[in-house]
Amino acid sequence: MGPFLQYTINGLTVGSFYALVALGYTIVYGIIRLINFAQGDLTVVGMFLGWSLLTQFGIRLLPLPVALFLAFLIPMLGTAVTNVVILQLAYKPLLKRSLLAILITALGASLVLQNVVRLIFGPQIQAYPDIVPLNGFGIGPAHVSYLQVVLFAASILLMLALYLFTQGTPVGTAMRALAVDHDAARLMGINVDRVIQIAFVVGGLLAAASGVMLGIYYIQIQFNNGFLLGLRAFTAAVLGGIGNIPGAMAGGMIIGLLESYTAGYISSKWQDVVVFGVLILVLVIRPMGLFGERVAERM
Amino acid sequence: MLLEVADLHVYYGNIEALKGITLGVDSGEIVAVLGSNGAGKTTTLKTISGLLRPRSGTVTFNGANIVGRSAHEVVALGLSQVPEGRRIFNVLTVDENLSLGGYLIRRHRDLQRKRRDSVYQTFPQLAARRKQLAGTLSGGEQQMLAIGRALMSEPKLLMLDEPSLGLSPLLSRLLLKIVRQISNQGTAVLLVEQNARQALAISDRAYVIETGSIALSGKASQLAADERVQKAYLGGYEAVS
């Protein structure tokens, strides 16, 4: 029982990061039916922006909450802008063409981002400074660090904010309408191009948020982290039913837990086997995902 | 004229779908556009509302040429289209569908609520289902929702594309009666219908489109009596009923 609780706590922490990346996939997919393969690499862009702020620009000298706030805010704005630039330059001209063309472009965008990060920050592994003290408290036999609590709470807050945005605001409702019918949305007076841009802003914000969290949590970062991270988060999005916002949240948590249990009970070498085994199983048995309804048939 | 369409040419690739359509709608009028499948009725509406771009011709609404404006800008000018096949947002609630219809007044919540209440007054059946997902409504209710959604922007001109499609004769008569009411409250209506008999009964004037051109036009009562119209568009219904 002891390790189980510990694995669960660790899994939920990592799962909440995956959920944030998965939400980026799912929101963009919901609106323009694009699997934005650049989402994982965008996360790494945010990760490195946060790292460079914390290590080279001396914001650590500020009080910890202020430093943390800036270390999240500035990378989030950076990736939001990056994502919109990618949309306008690479995806927008292809929106009315075939889905395949835009999908391949997304793969290209992923490679470009990855290599830009390598050019700027180098190919070597970098280390996040440990700015949050690692001590914590015990729940029975398990240890919970304050860091885990803070990061988990921040992810949940972001997800809650996103949920309220999509469910409770006119622009959020317009986003859900776009998932159904672009032309009908235009006839409502909705500026569809603008709403697509907002979706990419949201995807960018979430990418850096999870990127900085991953950096602070795992310490070691490298320019090519985005590939596997993107695939895991994509699996989470598919598991929850891609296009489905609560589904991406749940999917992220499930993938995080699966990874943690596999690492704990079997071996960390088997993590990816289990995760991608799940992806294959979902695609074969339930392609619409655990909570998906309508989306699969639209592909 | 509130709406004037002049010599509209629209292509799908190399295929000329509209070969010089000219028509007009005056304030307070109901104007019907009749014609068989593929004649160009829906293309005409989509071009007016900005979903399609014409190769040449003008669309003048309220004195301004609106060709080249995006669909969402056209709505803001007071021209609202109810698309063929309803196209409601099936995963959103009835309330949310109506709110989106009032997207342009989204910052004026009171005004939005007022208009929503007035839609619910026009369609009491919808009021009972406001929190229900639109996809769970019956065909007739979905059509009511599609019309109600278009009314949320308080258009000067309402364009309806086949509102009676797939509805029982009784229901389509009820809907067209409501269209008449909407018109009596001061909204001009451009009505595309396959059900020529019912459309002519509530319209002031009508146009008949055949393969992309206007074949006939005139007062609705005259067209209803016209031999050619009777033969091509009214005969079938007579035989059935």
Side-chain angles (χ1 to χ4, degrees), chain A residues 19 48 86 104 126 203 218 221 223 227 255 289:
Chain A
F48 271 90
I86 295 174
I104 292 168
Q126 307 283 11
Y218 281 124
I221 59 171
F223 74 97
F227 177 70
I255 294 297

Coordinates of all heavy atoms in Angstrom, one line a residue, chain A residues 19 48 86 104 126 203 218 221 223 227 255 289:
Chain A
A19 N -1.6 16.8 -19.0 CA -3.0 17.3 -19.2 C -2.9 18.7 -19.9 O -3.7 19.0 -20.8 CB -3.8 17.3 -18.0
F48 N 12.5 26.3 -22.1 CA 13.8 27.0 -22.2 C 13.7 28.5 -21.9 O 14.7 29.1 -21.3 CB 14.5 26.7 -23.5 CG 15.3 25.5 -23.6 CD1 14.7 24.3 -23.9 CD2 16.6 25.5 -23.2 CE1 15.5 23.1 -23.9 CE2 17.4 24.4 -23.2 CZ 16.8 23.2 -23.5
I86 N 3.2 30.9 -35.9 CA 3.2 29.7 -36.7 C 1.8 29.5 -37.4 O 1.8 29.2 -38.6 CB 3.4 28.4 -35.8 CG1 4.8 28.5 -35.2 CG2 3.2 27.1 -36.5 CD1 5.0 27.4 -34.1
I104 N 1.3 17.7 -42.3 CA 2.7 17.6 -42.6 C 3.4 19.0 -42.3 O 4.5 19.0 -41.7 CB 2.9 17.3 -44.1 CG1 2.4 15.8 -44.3 CG2 4.3 17.4 -44.5 CD1 2.3 15.4 -45.8
Q126 N 20.6 21.0 -20.1 CA 20.7 22.2 -19.1 C 19.9 21.8 -17.9 O 19.1 20.9 -17.8 CB 20.1 23.4 -19.7 CG 20.6 23.8 -21.1 CD 22.0 24.4 -21.1 OE1 22.6 24.4 -20.0 NE2 22.4 24.9 -22.2
G203 N -3.5 27.7 -26.6 CA -2.6 26.5 -26.8 C -1.2 26.9 -26.4 O -0.5 26.2 -25.7
Y218 N 11.5 18.3 -13.1 CA 12.5 17.3 -13.5 C 13.9 17.9 -13.5 O 14.9 17.1 -13.7 CB 12.2 16.8 -14.9 CG 11.1 15.8 -14.9 CD1 9.9 15.9 -15.7 CD2 11.2 14.6 -14.2 CE1 8.9 15.0 -15.7 CE2 10.2 13.7 -14.2 CZ 9.1 13.8 -15.0 OH 8.1 12.9 -15.0
I221 N 16.7 19.5 -18.7 CA 16.0 19.7 -19.9 C 16.9 19.7 -21.1 O 18.1 19.9 -21.0 CB 15.3 21.1 -19.8 CG1 16.3 22.2 -19.7 CG2 14.3 21.2 -18.7 CD1 15.7 23.6 -19.8
F223 N 16.8 20.2 -25.7 CA 16.1 20.7 -26.8 C 15.1 19.7 -27.4 O 14.1 20.1 -28.0 CB 17.0 21.3 -27.9 CG 17.7 20.2 -28.7 CD1 17.2 19.8 -29.9 CD2 18.8 19.5 -28.2 CE1 17.8 18.8 -30.7 CE2 19.4 18.5 -28.9 CZ 18.9 18.1 -30.2
F227 N 9.6 15.9 -28.4 CA 9.1 14.8 -29.2 C 8.3 13.8 -28.4 O 7.2 13.6 -28.6 CB 10.3 14.2 -29.9 CG 9.9 13.0 -30.8 CD1 9.1 13.2 -31.9 CD2 10.2 11.7 -30.4 CE1 8.7 12.1 -32.7 CE2 9.8 10.6 -31.1 CZ 9.1 10.8 -32.3
I255 N -2.5 9.0 -18.1 CA -1.2 8.7 -18.7 C -0.1 8.9 -17.6 O 0.8 8.0 -17.5 CB -0.9 9.6 -19.9 CG1 -1.9 9.2 -21.1 CG2 0.5 9.4 -20.4 CD1 -1.7 7.8 -21.6
G289 N -12.2 7.6 -28.1 CA -11.6 7.9 -26.7 C -12.6 7.6 -25.6 O -13.8 7.2 -25.9

